[in-house]
């Protein structure tokens, strides 16, 4: 599920954005300032950030600058005050993907969010990936080890997709439950462990190489670097 982080300190506007983006089917998290925004994005990487410029402590410019300094190219939609032309120019030069001037229609915001995601996703998310002995074709739900197809259930593939899409980052059981199970399903954290155990077995971890590490009782992490398949187009494979 596409995850959007909303950074907005006006409670009523923030709630309006959260309600409308949630209604569109996005997973939405909201914070009121820059520091919690960076923390939230680190804890769970957003696919897009709606970022108000004027925030109480760490402003939108600083958040954007910090992200780009970290070579984090998460799409950012800036919210700016009316008439602040210089702010918009500065925001775009810092690497914002688009901006909206307040007051704006929430439908306009939703349309911009969709347009940015359409524009940025194919680049951000290559469909053919490799990692160690594995090749993954995400649209086809295919995983191979040294050319041999792995027989994964859709749920196992979804867990794998989440882990390899943010290789090196720890995903808590709670986060995996939110991302890989339907909202009305209420499996326990133990369910995640069982599926991960099955996934590990199918990946061939009994051969001695851990592909998925367990992190301090908190969650799971894919440790081997993941790269786009060189020259890989979605039609390959
Ligand atoms: Ca503000």
């Amino acid at each position: 599920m596409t995850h959007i982080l909303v950074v907005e300190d006006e409670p009523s506007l923030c709630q309006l954005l959260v309600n409308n983006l949630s209604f569109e089917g996005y997973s939405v998290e909201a914070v009121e300032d820059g520091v919690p925004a960076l923390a939230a994005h680190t804890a769970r990487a957003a696919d897009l950030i709606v970022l108000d410029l004027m925030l109480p402590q760490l402003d939108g410019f600083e958040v954007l600058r910090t992200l780009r300094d970290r070579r984090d190219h998460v799409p950012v939609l800036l919210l700016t005050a009316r008439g602040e032309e210089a702010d918009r120019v500065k925001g775009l030069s810092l690497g914002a993907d688009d901006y909206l001037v307040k007051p704006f229609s929430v439908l306009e915001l939703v349309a911009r969010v969709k347009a940015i995601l359409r524009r940025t996703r194919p680049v951000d998310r290559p469909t053919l990936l490799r990692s160690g002995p594995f090749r993954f074709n995400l649209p086809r739900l295919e995983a191979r080890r040294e050319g041999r197809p792995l027989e994964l259930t859709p749920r196992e593939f979804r867990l794998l997709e989440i882990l390899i899409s943010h290789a090196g980052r720890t995903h808590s059981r709670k986060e995996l439950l939110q991302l890989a199970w339907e909202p009305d399903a209420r499996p326990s954290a133990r369910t995640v462990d069982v599926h991960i155990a099955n996934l590990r077995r199918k990946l061939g971890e009994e051969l001695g190489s851990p592909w998925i590490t367990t992190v301090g009782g908190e969650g799971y992490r894919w440790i081997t670097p993941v790269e786009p398949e060189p020259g890989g187009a979605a039609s390959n494979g």
Side-chain angles (χ1 to χ4, degrees):
M1 186 188 263
T2 302
H3 183 59
I4 297 181
L5 177 63
V6 172
V7 190
E8 169 59 66
D9 58 312
E10 290 173 42
S12 58
L13 176 57
C14 188
Q15 194 57 52
L16 183 70
L17 299 182
V18 169
N19 291 347
N20 279 273
L21 291 168
S22 302
F23 181 76
E24 292 294 325
Y26 300 115
S27 135
V28 186
E29 181 173 3
V31 294
E32 295 178 357
D33 206 347
V35 171
L38 291 169
H41 181 56
T42 302
R44 179 177 175 189
D47 296 297
L48 182 145
I49 301 179
V50 176
L51 179 61
D52 187 29
L53 264 188
M54 299 300 291
L55 297 167
Q57 289 175 28
L58 188 71
D59 72 21
F61 287 134
E62 289 307 314
V63 173
L64 186 54
R65 198 193 315 272
T66 302
L67 290 169
R68 299 314 186 224
D69 282 352
R70 291 177 183 171
R71 299 183 190 283
D72 185 327
H73 300 291
V74 57
V76 171
L77 172 60
L78 280 183
L79 307 181
T80 73
R82 182 197 291 277
E84 299 294 331
E85 179 68 26
D87 281 355
R88 299 200 285 279
V89 172
K90 184 176 174 187
L92 293 172
S93 71
L94 282 173
D97 294 80
D98 201 353
Y99 65 86
L100 271 175
V101 179
K102 291 181 182 179
F104 51 81
S105 118
V106 74
L107 294 179
E108 173 74 11
L109 178 127
V110 168
R112 299 284 188 99
V113 163
K114 288 181 178 173
I116 295 171
L117 288 172
R118 266 199 308 275
R119 208 160 71 216
T120 55
R121 292 205 112 185
V123 177
D124 285 349
R125 300 203 162 183
T127 52
L128 290 177
L129 300 172
R130 64 176 180 180
S131 182
F134 300 101
R135 299 287 184 278
F136 307 108
N137 185 325
L138 301 185
R140 291 189 185 189
L141 311 185
E142 280 178 7
R144 291 170 182 266
R145 177 171 178 159
E146 283 142 4
R148 184 176 55 86
L150 305 179
E151 303 291 332
L152 303 181
T153 65
R155 186 93 61 204
E156 289 162 357
F157 192 88
R158 177 66 185 138
L159 286 168
L160 180 63
E161 181 183 16
I162 294 162
L163 293 173
I164 65 174
S165 294
H166 300 282
R169 191 161 80 68
T170 301
H171 295 73
S172 70
R173 290 177 178 82
K174 187 180 168 196
E175 188 180 358
L176 292 172
L177 282 171
Q178 287 175 349
L179 293 171
W181 273 264
E182 298 71 25
D184 53 350
R186 297 259 173 247
S188 69
R190 173 75 188 130
T191 309
V192 177
D193 295 341
V194 170
H195 280 80
I196 291 282
N198 290 337
L199 181 55
R200 282 176 153 161
R201 186 171 42 76
K202 292 181 181 181
L203 291 170
E205 288 204 346
E206 73 278 9
L207 299 178
S209 302
W211 308 108
I212 299 170
T213 54
T214 309
V215 184
E218 286 176 30
Y220 296 99
R221 179 166 63 189
W222 184 271
I223 53 171
T224 308
V226 177
E227 303 172 324
E229 187 79 89
S235 57
N236 281 4

